[in-house]
């Protein structure tokens, strides 16, 4: 049992993590990075050197950085992969997670810098960590448009300029432009460690679109000319954590949703209402189809069916705290039982003391049975 000897609350380890993160170059830079292309307007604020007025919750991103760093370093040591390499053309810059060289290109490097095994074709790879919450969506639908844009920009910079001329990679810079043929996403689930690889041939047309996107940002006279690519704080996690959200949604009345700034007149109201009605109708129909499918599957066993895996959760005996046993535990531990037993307070005391809280099954009651549909694993 832990005894507190001071009234001072222990410090949070996250304070240290946030302080270090705030000093990372990525958090300070004002140039446009390929990884900043998640929102046109946000990219515009970075290019304009706007003040960052909001610090979002960065815990998940920081955990992702730790995992990312560990995996890449181990891959470098074991496989000789080129990791964390800089590219720039003076306008856009980036750090490519992994570049896999083909045999012909690798042969142009000094022996000690060659990979253990050459790739079939030069491949630019991006490692992304994701939570279990979005994992099924990631394996089904792959990278987002912004993630794809980021990696296309990396590949395009390598194809047109090559590796940046910076200390630590001069031997790579001397290769000149590198003929990237493939891009690869390596998704890693932060909760389970599962790995999902998705590959695409390099597509010049898509790379041109990515460059076009950047050019629009650079040409804008002010960030406010640029599109908000997300729905705003409260509706989008990207906006919730955006350092420029105050400037982007300026004018909102305190206490009201920031999205109210998007309505200027009755025409805007009419459009929002029409969107609402259309969305509601689509939702109603989708809900009907979903409820019908759920009912049809109710007695089906778990397993793979076509492209999907059917699983079931819940449906277990319901439990609650056993008050009688709780009182006995208090007596055994020489703790004072309140005159009127207060279940919540007594549970809190037992937990603090490290004693198991007694539970009992609630006769005839089960937890809610829930359907779990995920993509069927490829055999
Ligand atoms: S708050 Fe959202 S829409 Fe505005 S710049 Fe940031 S990410 Fe883009």
């Amino acid at each position: 049992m832990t005894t507190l000897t001071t009234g001072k609350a222990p410090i949070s380890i996250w304070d240290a993590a946030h302080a270090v993160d705030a000093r990372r170059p990525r958090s300070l830079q004002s140039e446009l990075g390929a990884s900043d292309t998640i929102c046109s307007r946000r990219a515009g604020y970075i290019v304009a050197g706007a003040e960052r007025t909001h610090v979002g919750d960065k815990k998940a991103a920081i955990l992702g950085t730790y995992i990312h760093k560990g995996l890449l370093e181990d891959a470098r040591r074991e496989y000789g992969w080129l990791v964390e390499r800089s590219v720039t053309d003076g306008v856009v810059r980036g750090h490519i997670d992994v570049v896999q060289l083909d045999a012909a290109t690798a042969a142009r490097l000094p022996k000690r810098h060659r990979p253990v095994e050459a790739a079939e074709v030069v491949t630019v790879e991006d490692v992304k960590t994701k939570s279990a919450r979005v994992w099924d969506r990631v394996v089904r639908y792959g990278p987002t448009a912004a993630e794809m844009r980021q990696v296309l920009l990396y590949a395009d910079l390598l194809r047109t300029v090559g590796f940046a001329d910076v200390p630590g990679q001069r031997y790579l810079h001397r290769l000149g432009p590198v003929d990237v043929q493939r891009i690869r996403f390596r998704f890693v689930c932060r909760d389970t460690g599962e790995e999902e690889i998705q590959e695409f041939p390099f597509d010049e047309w898509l790379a041109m679109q990515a460059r076009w996107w950047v050019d629009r940002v650079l040409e804008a006279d002010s960030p406010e000319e640029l599109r908000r690519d997300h729905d705003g704080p409260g509706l989008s996690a990207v906006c919730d954590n955006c350092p420029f959200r105050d400037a982007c949604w300026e004018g909102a009345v305190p206490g009201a949703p920031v999205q109210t700034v998007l309505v200027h007149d009755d025409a805007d109201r009419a459009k929002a209402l029409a969107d609402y009605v259309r969305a509601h109708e689509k939702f109603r129909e989708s809900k009907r189809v979903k409820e019908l499918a759920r009912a049809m599957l109710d007695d089906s066993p778990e397993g793979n069916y076509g492209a999907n895996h059917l699983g079931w959760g819940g449906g277990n005996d319901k439990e609650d705290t056993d008050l009688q046993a709780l009182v006995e535990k208090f007596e055994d531990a020489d703790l004072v039982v309140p005159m009127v037993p207060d279940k919540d307070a007594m549970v809190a005391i037992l937990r603090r003391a490290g004693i198991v809280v007694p539970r009992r099954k609630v006769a005839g009651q089960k937890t809610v049975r829930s359907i779990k549909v995920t993509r069927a694993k490829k055999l």
Side-chain angles (χ1 to χ4, degrees), residues 39 41-42 45 228-230 233 238-239 242 245 248-249:
C39 167
R41 189 176 281 205
R42 175 156 146 178
Y45 283 121
R228 294 180 178 102
D229 290 333
H230 299 271
V238 175
C239 297
C242 175
R245 55 182 260 180
C248 181
W249 297 92

Side-chain angles (χ1 to χ4, degrees), residues 339-351:
M339 293 294 285
V340 180
D342 176 344
K343 211 194 270 184
D344 292 343
M346 291 169 77
V347 165
I349 290 168
L350 281 198
R351 285 200 177 127

Side-chain angles (χ1 to χ4, degrees), residues 92-113:
V92 182
R93 43 124 209 96
H95 278 88
I96 308 180
D97 284 345
V98 182
V99 183
Q100 312 264 9
L101 297 180
D102 63 356
T105 315
R108 294 169 56 206
L109 291 178
K111 266 194 175 156
R112 66 181 188 286
H113 291 308

Side-chain angles (χ1 to χ4, degrees), residues 31-85:
E31 314 163 65
L32 190 61
S35 59
D36 295 321
T37 60
I38 194 168
C39 167
S40 307
R41 189 176 281 205
R42 175 156 146 178
Y45 283 121
I46 293 169
V47 171
E51 192 189 347
R52 294 161 194 255
T53 57
H54 177 72
V55 182
D57 183 353
K58 302 181 94 179
K59 293 193 192 80
I62 292 172
L63 285 177
T65 303
Y66 293 159
I67 296 170
H68 202 255
K69 208 172 160 58
L71 288 176
L72 290 183
E73 180 54 22
D74 289 350
R76 186 189 67 75
R77 283 167 194 257
E78 288 298 304
Y79 306 146
W81 287 1
L82 294 172
V83 305
E84 298 264 281
R85 296 297 162 176

Side-chain angles (χ1 to χ4, degrees), residues 6-27:
T6 165
K8 215 171 148 193
I11 55 167
S12 167
I13 201 162
W14 282 110
D15 293 346
H18 279 115
V20 171
D21 185 73
R23 292 199 294 272
R24 283 200 180 101
R26 198 187 36 199
S27 303

